[in-house]
Amino acid sequence: VFTSFGEGDTSKGAKKYIKECGFSNTNDFALQRIEEDKKAMNRLGVKNFYHLGFIDAGFRKAESNSLVFFLLSKINSEKKFIYPTYDERSLFSGKISELDYGLIKDIYKKLKKMVLKGDVLYGPLGVGKHVDHIVVNDIVKKFDNKCYFWLDQPYGSYSKHYGLDNHTKVIEVKTSRRKIRIAKSYSSQINAVFPKGIYFNPEIILKIENNSL
């Protein structure tokens, strides 16, 4: 869903993240992420997939015609960004900014054209409170299709299972070596996401209690 990283300047948080991933600029980082998706899909045996191309939350800029907003962003460039910091106050707050409501409508409209009646949808549970995961979770729930949710990795180990209310466990299995191999496709993110080495909690798939199998 969020496979673009915008253009122009970035927040201090985004710059730090890009650096942790081993890059000095957004363009090279974006190209690498797309190639990593291709590698992961190939290892999964998925031949047909599509990048929706929406901008990642850590790089999204606020769009406003307000003079006050314009002046504030001139004084403090961080005000340009909807989620300027990579912490619980911002990107990992679990709270979707009102400035993203239009984006959510756009994503839903795009998916509505792609999703067929009999399709089964999968989305992140959002236990790590990453805003983009919450956005996708909310959008998936808007569909009448059968919906399942996975326990986000690696957030499941320290998130206190935020978001598990009203969900029923469908599957729980130990992480396989194949899963770790697939995860290694995302080489640019390993140091940032797994600073102490790759680890996973058991794989858990859940459904909403009123969503029948």
Side-chain angles (χ1 to χ4, degrees):
V1 177
F2 302 103
T3 54
S4 177
F5 301 90
E7 297 179 355
D9 55 346
T10 57
S11 68
K12 292 178 181 178
K15 287 177 182 176
K16 181 181 178 183
Y17 178 67
I18 290 173
K19 186 175 181 180
E20 288 175 348
C21 291
F23 294 85
S24 59
N25 64 80
T26 307
N27 289 336
D28 289 345
F29 175 65
L31 290 172
Q32 177 65 18
R33 289 285 292 267
I34 290 174
E35 289 304 312
E36 289 170 353
D37 279 339
K38 291 178 180 178
K39 182 182 289 187
M41 292 300 103
N42 182 58
R43 289 177 173 177
L44 281 166
V46 176
K47 295 182 179 180
N48 298 314
F49 65 96
Y50 182 71
H51 286 111
L52 294 186
F54 291 98
I55 298 175
D56 185 278
F59 298 77
R60 285 203 289 276
K61 295 178 182 177
E63 295 182 6
S64 175
N65 295 322
S66 165
L67 177 61
V68 173
F69 173 79
F70 174 77
L71 293 173
L72 284 174
S73 64
K74 285 293 183 181
I75 296 171
N76 182 357
S77 61
E78 294 294 286
K79 296 292 184 181
K80 295 179 185 177
F81 302 94
I82 301 177
Y83 308 102
T85 57
Y86 279 54
D87 55 29
E88 294 180 356
R89 295 174 299 163
S90 184
L91 187 64
F92 291 92
S93 66
K95 298 177 181 178
I96 302 170
S97 168
E98 292 182 4
L99 296 172
D100 267 344
Y101 289 175
L103 172 70
I104 292 171
K105 290 180 180 178
D106 290 342
I107 296 172
Y108 177 72
K109 287 178 182 177
K110 196 163 189 176
L111 287 175
K112 191 74 173 176
K113 295 177 181 178
M114 301 169 68
V115 175
L116 302 177
K117 186 176 181 180
D119 288 345
V120 178
L121 305 183
Y122 290 84
L125 194 60
V127 296
K129 299 187 181 182
H130 188 297
V131 170
D132 279 346
H133 293 212
I134 302 296
V135 167
V136 175
N137 179 283
D138 286 352
I139 291 172
V140 168
K141 290 175 181 175
K142 292 179 184 293
F143 287 86
D144 294 329
N145 301 58
K146 291 180 182 178
C147 303
Y148 297 95
F149 302 89
W150 66 81
L151 185 67
D152 317 45
Q153 305 282 4
Y155 309 121
S157 63
Y158 57 81
S159 65
K160 297 182 180 178
H161 291 177
Y162 165 85
L164 291 182
D165 294 342
N166 301 319
H167 289 74
T168 301
K169 189 186 298 182
V170 178
I171 299 172
E172 179 172 354
V173 296
K174 292 182 178 179
T175 298
S176 65
R177 292 182 179 179
R178 181 168 179 258
K179 172 63 178 286
I180 293 176
R181 180 172 178 268
I182 293 167
K184 287 182 177 179
S185 301
Y186 295 95
S187 57
S188 68
Q189 299 179 68
I190 290 174
N191 289 336
V193 179
F194 299 100
K196 296 181 180 180
I198 294 179
Y199 66 91
F200 288 107
N201 299 289
E203 297 294 332
I204 300 177
I205 300 295
L206 306 99
K207 67 172 183 175
I208 300 175
E209 289 181 355
N210 62 0
N211 191 282
S212 59
L213 281 169

